[in-house]
Amino acid sequence: MVDLQRRTSELIGDFFSPDADPAWLLCDRHPSDAPAFTLIAEDLTVRGVTFGELRARSLECAAALAGLGVGAGDRVATLMGKSIDLVSVMLGIWRLGAVYVPLFTAFGPQAIGARLAGSQARVVVTDAQQRTKLRTGPDLPAERSWATVVAADAAGPGEYLLAELRRAADPADLPERPRGGDRPLVHMFTSGTTGAPKGVVHPVAYIAACQSYLEHGLGLTGDDVYWCAADPGWGYGLYSAVVAPLAAGHCSVLVSGRFDAATTWSVLSSQAVTNFAAAPTVYRALRASGSVPEGVRLRRASSAGEPLTPDVSDWAERELGVRVHDHFGQTEVGMVLADCWHPALARPAKPRSMGRCLPGWRLQVLDGVTGDPVEAGVVGRIAVDVRNSPLMTFHDYQGAEHRTEKFTADGASYLTGDLGHMDTDGDFFFVSRDDDVILMAGYRIGPFDIESVLLQHPGVAECAVIGAPDEARGEALEAYVVPSTDTVGTPELAAELQQLVKQRYAAHAYPRAVHFLDSLPRTPAGKIQRYLLRRRRVSHHPGTGE
């Protein structure tokens, strides 16, 4: 453990320093001929990018943005797919001491407008195919505070062309950029599963936690072929697919376009990926797509974004020869728990475990009433021990009115909003979100436990469990199920699923109703929105099946 502590201290020294310079730390310090990214287009053509090319292109992007008046502290957003332009613009923003605002390409105008207004962006850089989302409309005013730069062949009214700005710019005229680990780096927003998205501003120092997770949680080694399939429009993809590998000087695979199972299998095989990270839904889609193709060589597989159910790991161990390790984090704090791959932290996996605290973090489970730490095995509120987590950089949302939502009164603990318990080994186990827990006849039931059982049935592709009003019990469990391919949701299947829960979990905790859907409501980040299912249940008053 001494070596891990030393490594954490080294990362803190690099990124918390008053002299910390993200352009240097993420790009310029690495050999110019070293590979930075393997870019794979939608037609599966492959293009390599070196750190030297990134340096040259990002200097041009920085000069182009400076020509539009962007300076230190200004917000610059991107609405771009995974490309060399995206990474070059990011680094160009940081070369100016400006702050990066990621926008997910699946967003519509309302979500885009809210984030541009909330961040007070000065410039937004967009791909050609995304530019229509920035047109004037109900969610985007005609008079706006930002300039629009397009990575395209031609500009429309009021637009700038990225290529033209780069050609006209002179990197030699760039001002000296401010430095410091406390300077803002990224301005992103929570996914807003139950309310309006809130602004989260991460400083340069936060990169230390990103690189620590890459090394300790994902267990990245120098000979790994690494691919994080998450989209960089969200926190996990931004840091795990782009920022952390840049900091480590390790080549990362970036695949254009939306997720597709056939494309994913092709890339895993053709690139001989050894270290892969993705959301549980990606693994389930791969499982449903058929047999594993030749050439897949995974030796580490990791999951984040949603609780990992045992069926995914069981399938991966059987078909891929490797278990999927669950990792836990949030937009506000990044990754804090992991079933780690680093050899000094690895140990036999425990079913349904979220893992243990990553180096630089300490978490505990608190009583929901007193706020005191609870004993092992007792369900409570999962919280970050702020004073004993040196990698913690989040102190508040944009706007101080939200602080009481996430921190205890004394500021000593950050409340994740999740319920769970910890065992005597220090492993954490997820039960539910605070507002997802089901209270039935005096029992507290976490939907994750029931969902894990339902997903063991071959006829279930996805599912979500909620509590529905019940006169006798207060609440009763109801399940919303997406059937597997070639499976039909019938009363007979509903009865099988109810019986499965009775046998595998508990007789009292089976879903009193099973509803079949084509898909589950999710946030753009892929998280299940159970509150929408509860709202649907109240409005429709459905019966046993649909």
Side-chain angles (χ1 to χ4, degrees):
M1 184 59 70
V2 173
D3 289 342
L4 297 179
Q5 292 175 346
R6 184 188 309 125
R7 182 57 183 147
T8 301
S9 297
E10 291 172 351
L11 292 171
I12 290 173
D14 284 342
F15 295 100
F16 282 67
S17 165
D19 297 321
D21 174 6
W24 166 260
L25 292 165
L26 298 180
C27 182
D28 299 354
R29 66 171 169 165
H30 302 307
S32 60
D33 60 349
F37 290 98
T38 299
L39 299 176
I40 300 178
E42 293 188 53
D43 62 1
L44 297 182
T45 55
V46 180
R47 181 197 191 297
V49 180
T50 65
F51 280 98
E53 184 177 0
L54 274 184
R55 182 177 187 274
R57 291 177 66 102
S58 61
L59 279 167
E60 292 176 356
C61 288
L65 292 170
L68 296 177
V70 174
D74 287 332
R75 270 54 172 169
V76 179
T78 66
L79 186 60
M80 307 174 77
K82 289 164 272 191
S83 66
I84 188 172
D85 280 339
L86 171 65
V87 181
S88 299
V89 170
M90 278 188 210
L91 287 170
I93 293 167
W94 295 327
R95 288 188 185 281
L96 296 173
V99 185
Y100 176 53
V101 181
L103 298 174
F104 184 38
T105 54
F107 278 152
Q110 185 177 45
I112 292 169
R115 285 159 174 79
L116 291 176
S119 64
Q120 298 182 327
R122 184 154 188 174
V123 174
V124 57
V125 186
T126 180
D127 287 335
Q129 59 268 39
Q130 295 287 332
R131 67 203 302 182
T132 58
K133 296 179 181 178
L134 296 170
R135 289 176 179 168
T136 300
D139 302 304
L140 291 162
E143 294 187 10
R144 49 190 65 181
S145 60
W146 63 85
T148 300
V149 177
V150 185
D153 296 327
E159 295 177 340
Y160 297 91
L161 280 179
L162 179 61
E164 287 185 356
L165 292 174
R166 285 176 52 202
R167 283 194 295 268
D170 185 359
D173 293 335
L174 286 175
E176 184 175 352
R177 56 185 174 268
R179 302 171 186 236
D182 60 347
R183 290 195 57 81
L185 182 82
V186 174
H187 189 154
M188 60 176 54
F189 291 81
T190 61
S191 57
T193 56
T194 58
K198 296 185 283 289
V200 176
V201 180
H202 283 305
V204 173
Y206 183 69
I207 304 174
C210 304
Q211 188 171 347
S212 175
Y213 169 65
L214 188 79
E215 296 177 8
H216 301 133
L218 296 174
L220 192 71
T221 58
D223 60 346
D224 267 327
V225 178
Y226 172 64
W227 180 21
C228 172
D231 194 284
W234 292 100
Y236 188 70
L238 173 61
Y239 293 121
S240 297
V242 178
V243 172
L246 282 176
H250 196 289
C251 187
S252 177
V253 175
L254 286 181
V255 181
S256 298
R258 295 189 177 187
F259 168 77
D260 174 78
T263 298
T264 302
W265 281 129
S266 177
V267 172
L268 287 172
S269 177
S270 65
Q271 298 302 309
V273 173
T274 61
N275 195 317
F276 182 60
T281 51
V282 168
Y283 290 103
R284 292 194 184 102
L286 292 175
R287 179 183 62 182
S289 68
S291 59
V292 179
E294 294 288 337
V296 176
R297 299 177 179 86
L298 289 181
R299 61 189 184 197
R300 295 181 182 89
S302 305
S303 171
E306 276 280 293
L308 180 70
T309 48
D311 61 294
V312 172
S313 276
D314 292 343
W315 164 80
E317 188 169 36
R318 184 174 63 252
E319 300 295 333
L320 302 177
V322 60
R323 289 190 67 82
V324 181
H325 286 204
D326 197 13
H327 300 165
F328 170 81
Q330 295 186 326
T331 299
E332 294 87 342
V333 295
M335 306 307 293
V336 293
L337 296 174
D339 185 2
C340 293
W341 283 105
H342 190 286
L345 297 168
R347 75 270 187 260
K350 296 180 181 180
R352 303 182 186 177
S353 169
M354 303 156 67
R356 301 181 186 180
C357 297
L358 281 158
W361 296 96
R362 181 183 175 190
L363 276 74
Q364 52 194 346
V365 180
L366 304 180
D367 183 273
V369 177
T370 67
D372 296 327
V374 300
E375 295 181 357
V378 176
V379 174
R381 307 173 79 181
I382 299 175
V384 176
D385 181 351
V386 174
R387 295 167 185 170
N388 291 291
S389 297
L391 291 178
M392 177 81 167
T393 59
F394 176 71
H395 303 294
D396 203 353
Y397 293 106
Q398 177 194 18
E401 69 274 10
H402 296 296
R403 182 172 177 82
T404 56
E405 298 177 7
K406 301 298 287 189
F407 289 87
T408 53
D410 59 2
S413 297
Y414 164 84
L415 304 171
T416 65
D418 294 297
L419 298 177
H421 59 89
M422 181 178 69
D423 67 13
T424 54
D425 294 326
D427 284 278
F428 285 76
F429 296 81
F430 177 81
V431 172
S432 75
R433 293 291 296 171
D434 271 351
D435 54 357
D436 285 335
V437 69
I438 301 164
L439 300 175
M440 188 183 75
Y443 294 100
R444 293 170 63 88
I445 302 171
F448 177 61
D449 290 328
I450 312 303
E451 291 161 4
S452 298
V453 174
L454 293 172
L455 284 165
Q456 296 173 23
H457 194 288
V460 177
E462 293 185 295
C463 67
V465 171
I466 65 166
D470 183 90
E471 289 186 5
R473 305 174 186 88
E475 282 188 305
L477 275 74
E478 296 194 3
Y480 287 81
V481 171
V482 178
S484 302
T485 304
D486 299 328
T487 298
V488 178
T490 63
E492 289 75 20
L493 177 57
E496 285 183 30
L497 296 175
Q498 290 171 324
Q499 188 62 27
L500 181 67
V501 174
K502 290 179 182 179
Q503 292 175 342
R504 298 283 181 87
Y505 185 73
H508 72 278
Y510 74 93
R512 265 56 181 184
V514 178
H515 314 292
F516 296 105
L517 301 176
D518 293 332
S519 62
L520 297 176
R522 293 181 178 274
T523 69
K527 296 179 181 178
I528 296 173
Q529 295 172 304
R530 291 180 182 83
Y531 79 98
L532 289 181
L533 294 174
R534 290 193 289 270
R535 187 180 300 170
R536 172 193 176 97
R537 172 63 176 80
V538 170
S539 62
H540 287 112
H541 299 287
T544 303
E546 290 186 350

